[in-house]
Amino acid sequence: MSIALSAADISRALTRISHEILERNGGCESLVLMGIPTRGAFLSQRLATIIESIEKTDVSVGTLDITLHRDDLRLRPIRALVPTLVPKSGIEGKDVVLVDDVFFSGRTIRAALDALGEMGRPRSVQLAVLVDRGHRQLPIRADYVGKNLPTSRGEVVKVRLSEIDGADEVLLEPEGSK
Amino acid sequence: MRHLLSASDLSYTEALSILDTAAQMARVSDGPIKKLPTLRGRTIVNLFFEDSTRTRISFEAAAKRLSADVINFSAKGSSVSKGESLKDTAQTLQAMGADAVIIRHSASGAPQRLADSEWTSGVVINAGDGTHEHPTQALLDAFTIRKHLKVGVGDLSGLTIAIVGDILHSRVARSNVILLSLLGAQVILVAPPTLLPLGVENWSAQISYDLDAVLPHVDAVMMLRVQQERMNDFFFPTAREYSHYFGLNSDRLALLKKSAIIMHPGPMNRGLEITAACADSARSVIVEQVANGVSVQMAVLYLLLAGAPNENVESGEVLS
Amino acid sequence: MTKYLLEGATLPDGAKCQILISGGVIVAMEESILHPDVSSARRIDLGGAIALPGLVDLHTHLREPGREDSETVASGSRSAAVGGFTAVSAMANTFPVADTAGVVEQVFRLGQAAGLCDVFPIGAVTQGLAGKALAELGAMADSEARVRIFSDDGNCVFDPMVMRRALEYVKKFDGVIAQHAQDPSLTVDAQMNEGSVSSKWPSVAEEAIIARDVLLADHVGSRVHICHLTTAGGVDIVRWAKARGIQVTAEVTPHHLLLTDECANSFDPIYKVNPPLRAESDVMALREGLADGTIDIVATDHAPHPAESKECEWSAAAFGMIGLETALSIVQLAMVDTGLLSWSQVADRMSHAPARIGRYADHGQPIAIGSTANLTFVNPSLAWRVDRDLVLSRSKNTPFHGMELPGKVIATFFRGEPTVLDSILVRGPRAI
């Protein structure tokens, strides 16, 4: 097991991503950050806080539960649903940034795009991830990446966040470890 | 939980998880696109041996919102009315690849029989059997009560709920007594003694013959339908006398707490167990019960059908 | 006729002796028989089994004529023999109903032809079991079948005037009315015991009829027999009536001595029976009543049904269970192994008393020199597993499938000839 990102690394990555989001979208007026539970939701809150401190204005944040759109439901025991929270302003015509912790096969994001489509028609959808570990199985790419982390398929990337895990760090565990 | 046959199949945790899931499903029903891909490719059969348009279309809507294929099998005008047995019907559905059978039957225990038999391997959901149980109705009632009186979270502890009318023949009452008390509510059954089952004192509910005495203390009052044919079986002298003692009318409405809600599983006999003024009053949640029914049924279908067929799944591709 | 020397059996009172059978009669009983016939007799070792007088069932549905798909007199006789019975009483609810001399004689002759046990027909009380007009009770009594028991079983003789007349009329030939006690208007659409488990079939529907009928029997001075008693209250009423000197007898089925209405929770129609399985407290009262003699006999209410009548939802299923092949084991389990009955009392409840009630002179005799050699040998320490696929009845509807039961019938002798040896049916004297 090795530490891929320290707390300071994570903090710097999120700050950079915040700036990139603002730069790309020319501010935060039409911006909606949608975090994918569990850890993507906390990351989206952190990004919002950073952006607000830069822009001195409120940013719309929500969470998007993708469980009902997953394509692996039949492969695993049943999962509990998590609330989807859409900001009051909605997503219609907005620039939505999906936020997740680890970007791997791309299937989660595929499900998230479907889930978003069910709620309305954003002007654009972008993707921010803390870690991109590669091994994509779908033609999906991230717009904002905290860190590109080369891995083998069997390795496990574990993101820990202080909100629920007590500390900020990203760990890389070898194959077979749990 | 593999099937849903009785409210007593549910643990406290499972019951809450169904209500919590239903709350998420309700969001879909409120959204612009009322469709999820979750059960795409699954086949659900509505097997109705007893007429009940509202229950059937409710389950049909729930299944379709989750993208399941729905086959409606009504016993009327089918081979069943020509003497085909439950076994043959079940084996036919099995051959058609039914993943779930939602069964409504006038015989108590028919869903259990189906689930215990080897006639079908699908999930069995009881949509009302004889005078036995109607678990999804109880779940939607609990969901409705929780939404109005518990801001939609947690259990029903601290609430008092009256169920009024034909308890004896009511599968809705049976399931509700089990579920509502499981979730911590206090249940009071109000009926003439003829319409209370023998041994009701062993149910987890209080008994009263006096509706007026009960109403001021309840948070919700659930009126049950009085079947017209009960009048011919001496359960009570006349419809007028029944309404006089056990009907919900404007005078009795005034006895209720300000926050109390009025419920009815439908279809109503307006003027018999409930007056139109009460049914249509601002405190009535009767129409909303129907909408909540779809959410609860979606939750049940999701929890019983969406996951792996059994618990021992080989560790396959985990998406991330 | 073959002579048999039966060795290694224990009498119900515990005594051990050899039994010599010749000409269909017990001719000698001693620890070591010295008799001219011993040398020519076939020796059969019973390995310590208990000898009982051949069991007599007063309540058997053999379904012939009319429903030969579920049972015939011949198949029912085979089932009876392996269960240790030497006489059964064929209930009248056949198609056509056994309400004429012609039908009862037909059933009687089918029994003779099968030759594995005596089949005594029970005549209907009323024409077509309809409860309205008396059947020709006298003609049936005088027929070759010599009917002494009359019953509308399946239906209650509900009209009190009809019941009164029937009770009076059978005095002419020392007959008895066997009543299926069930008030029909209290049990409309009834499916299960009314109690904590389910509703509709209250005990009072049975008890009210028992109370009425013992009073009627008292009033007209006749004999009434209560079929398949199932409730604690019914036991009390019969006990009270006997104390008053009323000529009432009563039976209990093996399944009501063992199973409770909890079984119905499964909604498996294998447990659907009329009268229904009752509460645990009723079961205990029935055992007590059988032990103290309030309930005179055990009767099987053997009720065969084809698979399709049970492979369905509860309310569509037929009432009834088969019972001939498990009766003695259930009685041992519920009554003997619990210390409530001795084997001598089992002999009384399952042979002497039923034969007395039915006036079956050749049955229920004591195991003694000069008695007709109707004998059953049971090994109480041999346990066996019930397998519905191995029953000799044509129907498989036993609620005891898969259960391990104590006590195996080793041998049955019917009028001096073995019908069962080593627990296997052997061809009887005139077997088909």
Side-chain angles (χ1 to χ4, degrees), chain B residues 60-75:
Chain B
E60 188 171 350
K64 285 182 169 169
R65 279 183 197 173
L66 292 172
S67 300
D69 293 316
V70 181
I71 298 172
N72 285 311
F73 191 111
S74 167

Side-chain angles (χ1 to χ4, degrees), chain A:
Chain A
M1 183 179 77
S2 64
I3 295 176
L5 271 77
S6 67
D9 294 337
I10 291 173
S11 172
R12 275 193 295 274
L14 291 176
T15 305
R16 176 172 50 77
I17 289 173
S18 299
H19 282 288
E20 287 174 5
I21 290 172
L22 284 171
E23 187 178 345
R24 162 109 170 243
N25 293 287
C28 62
E29 203 178 323
S30 66
L31 206 59
V32 176
L33 302 179
M34 295 293 281
I36 297 170
T38 307
R39 287 171 184 76
F42 296 117
L43 291 174
S44 68
Q45 283 294 348
R46 291 196 193 184
L47 287 173
T49 308
I50 297 168
I51 291 171
E52 282 169 0
S53 71
I54 299 166
E55 294 287 301
K56 311 286 185 239
T57 175
D58 286 352
V59 178
S60 299
V61 198
T63 59
L64 182 65
D65 181 37
I66 56 126
T67 309
L68 294 166
H69 294 269
R70 296 182 80 106
D71 64 1
D72 65 343
L73 283 169
R74 292 284 286 158
L75 300 175
R76 307 173 63 170
I78 202 72
R79 302 151 177 270
L81 302 187
V82 184
T84 288
L85 302 168
V86 184
K88 275 201 186 68
S89 52
I91 60 161
E92 198 71 31
K94 305 283 184 176
D95 295 306
V96 172
V97 179
L98 295 171
V99 182
D100 202 1
D101 53 354
V102 179
F103 189 29
F104 189 13
S105 67
R107 287 171 191 269
T108 300
I109 306 307
R110 199 275 313 151
L113 290 170
D114 287 350
L116 264 190
E118 164 206 305
M119 276 176 236
R121 187 176 182 280
R123 185 166 71 195
S124 70
V125 181
Q126 300 157 30
L127 174 60
V129 298
L130 182 59
V131 174
D132 180 352
R133 60 168 297 189
H135 303 289
R136 214 76 69 239
Q137 294 167 354
L138 294 171
I140 291 174
R141 59 162 180 78
D143 301 274
Y144 315 103
V145 178
K147 179 166 172 79
N148 283 300
L149 191 62
T151 60
S152 66
R153 286 186 68 86
E155 283 175 307
V156 176
V157 176
K158 188 179 265 178
V159 173
R160 303 180 68 219
L161 294 178
S162 56
E163 287 92 331
I164 47 168
D165 305 310
D168 277 4
E169 58 188 354
V170 175
L171 305 173
L172 185 59
E173 297 178 355
E175 197 159 352
S177 67
K178 274 274 171 183

Side-chain angles (χ1 to χ4, degrees), chain C residues 92-164:
Chain C
N93 60 340
T94 48
F95 303 94
V97 171
D99 57 359
T100 62
V103 177
V104 294
E105 284 190 353
Q106 181 199 356
V107 172
F108 179 72
R109 284 184 196 134
L110 285 166
Q112 298 283 299
L116 292 166
C117 60
D118 275 324
V119 175
F120 297 114
I122 290 174
V125 178
T126 63
Q127 294 172 28
L129 308 175
K132 297 276 194 303
L134 289 186
E136 291 183 353
L137 308 181
M140 289 188 274
D142 286 344
S143 74
E144 192 190 342
R146 292 182 33 80
V147 177
R148 288 298 177 270
I149 306 176
F150 298 89
S151 180
D152 278 1
D153 183 63
N155 297 339
C156 179
V157 180
F158 183 49
D159 185 327
M161 183 54 90
V162 172
M163 187 63 181
R164 176 196 168 141

Side-chain angles (χ1 to χ4, degrees), chain B residues 34-103:
Chain B
K34 299 176 173 50
K35 190 89 167 174
L36 291 165
T38 317
L39 296 182
R40 203 163 49 198
R42 320 303 308 279
T43 300
I44 295 173
V45 176
N46 268 323
L47 180 56
F48 274 53
F49 291 88
E50 193 181 71
D51 281 337
S52 174
T53 311
R54 51 173 58 221
T55 305
R56 183 181 59 71
I57 60 174
S58 179
F59 267 108
E60 188 171 350
K64 285 182 169 169
R65 279 183 197 173
L66 292 172
S67 300
D69 293 316
V70 181
I71 298 172
N72 285 311
F73 191 111
S74 167
K76 277 228 167 136
S78 73
S79 51
V80 172
S81 56
K82 293 168 195 147
E84 182 174 296
S85 69
L86 180 63
K87 178 181 176 181
D88 290 331
T89 306
Q91 287 177 335
T92 303
L93 300 178
Q94 172 73 8
M96 291 193 304
D99 296 299
V101 178
I102 296 161
I103 176 173

Side-chain angles (χ1 to χ4, degrees), chain B residues 28-320:
Chain B
V28 175
S29 301
D30 294 341
I33 298 171
K34 299 176 173 50
K35 190 89 167 174
L36 291 165
T38 317
L39 296 182
R40 203 163 49 198
R42 320 303 308 279
T43 300
I44 295 173
V45 176
N46 268 323
L47 180 56
F48 274 53
F49 291 88
E50 193 181 71
D51 281 337
S52 174
T53 311
R54 51 173 58 221
T55 305
R56 183 181 59 71
I57 60 174
S58 179
F59 267 108
E60 188 171 350
K64 285 182 169 169
R65 279 183 197 173
L66 292 172
S67 300
D69 293 316
V70 181
I71 298 172
N72 285 311
F73 191 111
S74 167
K76 277 228 167 136
S78 73
S79 51
V80 172
S81 56
K82 293 168 195 147
E84 182 174 296
S85 69
L86 180 63
K87 178 181 176 181
D88 290 331
T89 306
Q91 287 177 335
T92 303
L93 300 178
Q94 172 73 8
M96 291 193 304
D99 296 299
V101 178
I102 296 161
I103 176 173
R104 170 83 152 226
H105 205 295
S106 57
S108 297
Q112 171 116 39
R113 189 83 181 109
L114 200 58
D116 290 347
S117 73
E118 286 163 8
W119 308 333
T120 172
S121 60
V123 167
V124 178
I125 297 171
N126 181 1
D129 61 330
T131 58
H132 179 230
E133 282 225 36
H134 195 345
T136 56
Q137 176 72 41
L139 284 162
L140 82 86
D141 289 336
F143 182 83
T144 305
I145 293 166
R146 185 175 87 153
K147 192 172 159 193
H148 281 271
L149 302 169
K150 285 279 191 166
V151 296
V153 290
D155 64 15
L156 305 180
S157 55
L159 298 179
T160 303
I161 295 145
I163 305 178
V164 186
D166 185 358
I167 310 294
L168 177 63
H169 301 94
S170 175
R171 51 193 173 210
V172 174
R174 267 177 184 72
S175 292
N176 260 311
V177 168
I178 296 167
L179 184 71
L180 298 181
S181 59
L182 175 71
L183 292 173
Q186 168 149 33
V187 181
I188 307 177
L189 300 172
V190 187
T194 45
L195 289 175
L196 286 168
L198 200 77
V200 72
E201 60 277 3
N202 298 326
W203 293 21
S204 46
Q206 291 180 292
I207 313 297
S208 173
Y209 306 141
D210 187 349
L211 183 56
D212 290 332
V214 166
L215 286 178
H217 307 291
V218 304
D219 300 294
V221 56
M222 191 183 298
M223 306 305 297
L224 298 177
R225 177 179 172 78
V226 176
Q227 307 278 357
Q228 299 287 346
E229 60 261 32
R230 303 291 172 234
M231 268 172 277
N232 307 325
D233 288 340
F234 319 117
F235 287 103
F236 46 86
T238 61
R240 213 166 55 146
E241 176 155 327
Y242 181 86
S243 297
H244 180 70
Y245 289 107
F246 297 98
L248 193 63
N249 54 34
S250 301
D251 291 345
R252 292 206 165 100
L253 201 59
L255 296 174
L256 284 169
K257 288 183 201 171
K258 287 258 186 306
S259 59
I261 56 171
I262 298 169
M263 308 173 72
H264 193 299
M268 288 181 278
N269 281 312
R270 287 173 185 252
L272 183 48
E273 72 267 7
I274 187 166
T275 62
C278 292
D280 301 334
S281 80
R283 324 169 68 170
S284 163
V285 297
I286 295 169
V287 176
E288 192 195 314
Q289 284 175 273
V290 179
N292 292 340
V294 177
S295 301
V296 163
Q297 289 154 0
M298 286 170 78
V300 169
L301 290 173
Y302 169 71
L303 293 170
L304 288 178
L305 276 176
N310 56 53
E311 303 296 306
N312 307 321
V313 187
E314 40 188 303
S315 54
E317 191 75 359
V318 177
L319 65 88
S320 192

